Each structure stands twice: as structure tokens, then as C-alpha cells.
């Protein structure tokens, strides 16, 4: 008879969400088992957030050097050593992976189980080596993986995904990026700013899920300086001896050869290996177990979800929050505690970064926009491009969301997300200090537009003009 391993909470998947769930369950007094076939050190560290930001950091350095002449600073001919760029990406990435793995090794060995888990019956799982897991409750935290549509599959090693691109020894000469979501946008612009000839394709017309037309137009305009953008097209691919030929039609028509294509057409949840048909769980149209985001529990079952597999908001801070909620509730089964979730917030690390926060124009009533093309500090820095739009609810001008693509948007977006989560109004934000000259001052224009459109007046103790250059 096969071995049976017993615990209070079994966690399937040792990524960011699974590790958070294991910590939360154990600190709430549960005995745990953490199950993973690879223990590769999280998607974030190995093939996600960190290597992508390392490549983007190299692109920032290249762009700063090649635009220094505008300040009268001559750095001579900027050359890019592609092999050195990719080596630093891997060296630093490997360091992050090593640190993550060291963290995992601090979990007692008896808890770390190597294997792939699947359901055998409702509430019952076993491993691919035949061992049974007897757990009072379960957390599924199996993440997501790149999806390669049929038309790009089976074309050989010149078809890359985010799992393989960071292994390139050198920067390619010509790169096609298929899909203009977060990964496509980040990689396309970074590669282009590192001297790669990049064409970015999408079958849709919208970049990165931006809701505001003005913010979308600003990003499109900025990207067009770096790369060739082909939106609203269907792409067909064929492999040649030493390249991939793409032909596209739709909003535009064309044909070109590329050294590599990077496919960034989405990341579906890792569900196939779980044999969910035996789990008894109710599944939605995408095959994801139906769950409550405030508890991460699936119906009335003892199963919980956490991280990308839940497909709610596949970003890192939500994966770790999911894990904490799911782990605690798995330990407390069958008495879950409801948790308020963060204001929805995502960033795409293009330059400038694109931020999407909270609710949009569809649901809001009042909008205020600020154009950074003549914003004082942005102009000083030679970065005066971009737009932000704030969404507020009538009648009090309570901020409910924002779309941004402005210099400093990564930081402005945090400030806005925190204000939105705290139900602040435009008028209340205008009573806060704005230092001069800063990018934050640009917000005033949008906040004042919202105040003007609501019955709430501008705070009368505040100057309604603009400091020079703000
Ligand atoms: C290129 C890229 C860039 C990104 N950049 C950012 C960013 O800048 N900011 C941000 O917030 N987010 C970013 N993300 C998203 C972020 O990385 C993910 O949201 C996060 O890593 C998801 O964590 P997770 O725990 O759900 O999944 P993972 O870390 O993938 O963990 C899932 C684990 O489950 C295991 N597993 C799978 N099936 C089984 C099974 N049957 N049994 C046992 N174990 C199993 C896997 O081996 C894996 O270890 C990026 C993603 C990518 C791909
Ligand atoms: N900075 C960040 O936080 C960050 C960075 C990278 C990834 N991520 C996470 O990873 C997830 C997955 O990212 P992604 O960029 O792969 O997917 P995505 O779902 O965000 O975008 C996929 C894009 O591919 C297009 N597409 C799909 N099929 C196509 C086809 N056959 N031809 C042309 N275009 C096609 C879609 O229209 C869409 O625009 C994101 O949702 C995000 O949450 C986050």
C-alpha cells in the first residue's frame, strides 16, 4: 500500500502564493505539507518580475546615455554589449533565485514534499509517485504559464516565451513580439531601447488594457518612437532556415523576417495537472474553481485558491495577499474570516510606466486629466510626455480609479492607489502639501477639474493658481 502523508493543510505549489499560504497556515497553528515538483524558486524570481525588470534596467541605462546630449552631456557613441546585458540579467536573476531557494530551505524538510499533486476524489489528493496526502484542507497555488497559440507552436527554438527569453546569450538583431499585454509591452520597449529592431503585434487595438483614450494615445505615441507597432492584425508565421517569417493582415498588411519571435499572448492558470474533474469543485467558464475573493475558499469545500491560478489579478502583491488569506482560512477550516481586498492596482514597467487603478470611466461619473507635456518638473528632466486621468464618483468627488502613463507614474500611482483605498476625495487631496517643483504637482490640474465638476468647492484655504512651471 502506498505511503500516506498526513497534515492539517496541504499547499500545492511553492511559488509566491503557496509560500505565503504555507507561512500563514503554519503560523496559525496548522501542520502543513508544501508540495512542488521543481522548487525552482518562484516564477517572480526565475522568469518573471525580476529578470524582466533587470532587462528594463539595462534599457534605462542605454536610453539615459543616448539621450544625454539634450543636457549638453556628450557621452560619445553609445554601444551596447548584448552578451554583457544578458549575462547581468542572468547573474542578478540567479542571485534572486538563490535567495528565494534559501528561504524555502528554511522550511523544515519534513514539510517540503517533492511531487506533482492531483485530485483523486473531492478533498483528496495524491502525488505522481503514488503517495496519498491526507489533509483537512487544501490550498491550490499552482500559478500560470505562457500560452503559445497553435500558429506559433512547433516552429522551433526561434519562438520564445518569457520562460526562455532570458536565456538568450546575446540580444537579437530583429525581434517580433506577439501580444501587447504587460509582458509584451515591457519586453518590446526594453529590447528596442537596447538597440534591437522590434515590431510589436496585437490582434486587438488596445495596449495593456488602458481604459482612457488620452492615456492610450500618449503611450502609443511614446512607443512609436522606439518600435514598430502593428495593432489590429492577424499574424501567420513560418520557420525559415535561420529566421521566422511573419505575414500579417487586418488594420495593416505586411511581411517581414525576424531572428526571434517572443510570444506574450497571455498566461492561463496551471490547472491541467490537477485532475479537477475529480475534485467535485464548481468550475467557471475558464475551468477555474469558483471562489470567494474575500476568503479564497471554493464554495463550501475545504479547498482554497491563491495566486495566478485564481486568475483574479495575476500580479505579485495579490499573489502574496491571496496566499496569506488562503493559508489562514485553510488553517481555520471550516470557519473562514473575510478579508477586504486591496484597491485593484497594476503597473506595466514601460517608460513611462502604465498604471491602472480601481474603477474606470464606465462606472465613474467625473474625470480629471493632466497632460505632462508642459509639466514643470517633467520638462526640467526632459521627460515631459504622458497623460493621467483620475476617475471620481459624484456627488462628492471621491476618487475611485485612475489610468496613468506619465513620468514618475510608478510613484504617483502608489499615492493614488492609497488615496483611493482610503476613500479620499479630490478636495481632500488638495488640502495635502505638494512640494515644488515635483511631478506630484501635475496631479493638481486633474484634482481641480474634478472639484469644479462636483458641488464640493476647492478648499478655500488653498491657492488656486499654479507655481511657475508646475
Ligand atoms: C515576465 C513576467 C513579468 C512579470 N512582472 C511582474 C511585475 O513586474 N510585477 C508583478 O506584480 N507581477 C509580475 N508578474 C506576475 C507575477 O510574477 C505572478 O503574478 C506571480 O509570480 C504568481 O505567483 P504564483 O505563486 O501564483 O505562481 P508561481 O510562482 O508560478 O508558483 C506556482 C508553483 O506551482 C507549482 N505547481 C504547478 N503545478 C503543480 C502541481 N500539480 N503540483 C504541485 N505543484 C505544482 C509550480 O512548480 C510553481 O512552483 C510577471 C510575470 C511574468 C511572467
Ligand atoms: N508589470 C507587471 O505587473 C506584469 C508584467 C508582466 C506580466 N504580468 C502579469 O502577467 C499576465 C500575463 O501577461 P501577458 O502580457 O502574457 O498577457 P495579457 O493577457 O496581458 O496580454 C495578451 C495580449 O496578447 C494578445 N493576443 C492574444 N492572442 C494573440 C494572437 N494570436 N495574436 C496577436 N495577439 C494576441 C491579446 O490581445 C492581449 O493584448 C498579465 O495579466 C499580468 O498580470 C504583470
Amino acid at each position: 500500500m502506498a505511503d500516506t502523508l498526513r497534515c492539517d493543510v496541504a499547499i500545492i505549489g511553492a511559488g509566491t502564493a503557496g509560500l505565503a499560504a504555507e507561512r500563514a497556515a503554519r503560523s496559525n497553528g496548522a501542520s502543513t505539507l508544501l508540495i512542488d515538483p521543481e522548487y525552482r524558486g518562484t516564477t517572480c524570481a526565475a522568469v518573471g518580475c525580476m529578470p524582466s525588470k533587470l532587462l528594463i534596467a539595462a534599457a534605462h541605462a542605454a536610453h539615459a546615455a543616448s539621450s544625454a546630449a539634450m543636457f549638453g552631456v556628450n557621452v560619445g557613441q553609445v554601444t551596447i554589449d548584448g552578451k554583457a546585458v544578458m549575462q547581468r540579467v542572468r547573474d542578478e536573476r540567479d542571485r534572486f533565485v538563490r535567495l528565494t531557494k534559501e528561504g524555502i530551505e528554511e522550511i523544515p524538510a519534513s514539510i517540503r514534499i517533492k511531487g506533482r499533486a492531483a485530485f483523486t476524489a473531492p478533498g483528496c489528493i495524491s502525488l505522481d509517485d503514488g503517495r496519498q496526502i491526507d489533509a483537512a484542507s487544501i490550498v491550490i497555488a499552482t500559478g500560470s504559464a505562457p500560452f503559445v497559440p497553435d500558429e506559433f507552436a512547433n516552429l522551433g527554438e526561434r519562438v520564445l516565451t518569457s520562460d526562455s527569453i532570458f536565456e538568450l546569450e546575446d540580444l537579437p538583431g530583429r525581434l517580433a513580439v506577439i501580444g501587447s499585454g504587460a509582458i509584451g509591452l515591457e519586453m518590446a520597449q526594453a529590447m528596442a531601447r537596447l538597440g534591437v529592431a522590434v515590431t510589436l503585434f496585437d490582434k486587438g487595438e488596445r495596449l495593456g488594457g488602458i481604459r482612457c483614450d488620452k492615456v492610450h494615445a500618449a503611450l502609443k505615441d511614446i512607443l512609436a518612437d522606439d518600435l514598430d507597432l502593428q495593432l489590429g492584425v492577424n499574424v501567420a508565421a513560418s520557420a525559415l532556415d535561420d529566421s521566422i517569417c511573419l505575414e500579417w493582415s487586418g488594420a495593416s498588411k505586411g511581411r517581414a523576417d525576424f531572428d526571434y519571435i517572443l510570444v506574450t499572448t497571455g498566461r492561463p492558470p496551471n490547472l491541467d495537472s490537477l485532475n479537477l474533474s475529480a475534485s467535485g469543485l464548481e468550475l467557471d467558464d475558464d475551468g477555474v474553481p469558483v471562489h470567494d475573493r474575500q476568503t479564497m475558499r471554493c464554495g463550501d469545500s475545504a479547498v482554497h485558491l491563491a495566486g495566478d491560478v485564481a486568475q483574479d489579478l495575476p500580479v505579485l502583491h495579490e499573489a502574496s495577499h491571496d496566499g496569506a488569506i488562503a493559508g489562514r482560512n485553510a488553517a481555520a477550516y471550516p470557519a473562514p474570516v473575510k478579508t477586504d481586498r486591496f484597491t485593484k492596482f497594476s503597473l506595466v514597467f514601460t517608460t513611462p510606466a502604465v498604471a491602472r487603478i480601481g474603477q474606470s470611466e464606465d462606472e465613474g461619473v467625473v474625470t480629471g486629466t493632466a497632460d505632462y507635456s508642459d509639466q514643470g518638473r517633467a520638462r526640467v528632466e526632459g521627460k515631459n510626455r504622458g497623460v493621467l486621468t483620475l476617475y471620481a464618483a459624484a456627488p462628492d468627488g471621491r476618487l475611485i480609479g485612475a489610468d496613468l502613463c506619465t513620468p514618475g507614474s510608478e510613484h504617483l500611482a502608489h499615492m493614488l492607489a492609497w488615496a483611493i483605498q482610503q476613500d479620499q476625495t479630490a478636495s481632500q487631496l488638495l488640502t495635502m502639501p505638494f512640494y515644488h517643483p515635483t511631478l506630484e504637482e501635475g496631479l493638481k490640474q486633474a484634482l481641480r477639474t474634478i472639484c469644479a465638476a462636483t458641488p464640493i468647492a476647492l478648499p478655500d484655504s488653498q491657492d488656486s493658481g499654479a507655481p511657475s512651471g508646475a
Side-chain angles (χ1 to χ4, degrees), residues 48 176 242 294 339 354 387 398 456:
D242 53 5
Q294 290 193 299
T339 301
V354 178
V387 174
R398 184 175 50 83
I456 307 291

Side-chain angles (χ1 to χ4, degrees), residues 237-317:
S238 49
L240 306 177
D241 283 347
D242 53 5
S243 63
I244 300 270
C245 175
L246 295 187
E247 274 190 81
W248 63 97
S249 59
S252 65
K253 255 180 119 140
R255 185 178 190 281
D257 291 350
F258 297 91
D259 301 316
Y260 289 93
I261 66 171
L262 170 65
V263 181
T264 55
T265 49
R267 291 179 60 85
N270 289 327
L271 294 167
D272 290 352
S273 64
L274 290 169
N275 191 29
L276 285 180
S277 59
S279 70
L281 298 173
E282 183 191 349
L283 307 182
D284 69 15
D285 292 345
D286 297 322
V288 179
V290 175
H291 58 281
D292 174 353
R293 250 177 73 68
Q294 290 193 299
T295 61
M296 297 314 289
R297 184 180 180 192
C298 303
D300 288 334
S301 76
V303 181
H304 305 73
L305 296 188
D308 280 13
V309 72
Q311 292 287 290
D312 297 319
L313 254 187
V315 293
L316 190 101
H317 68 280

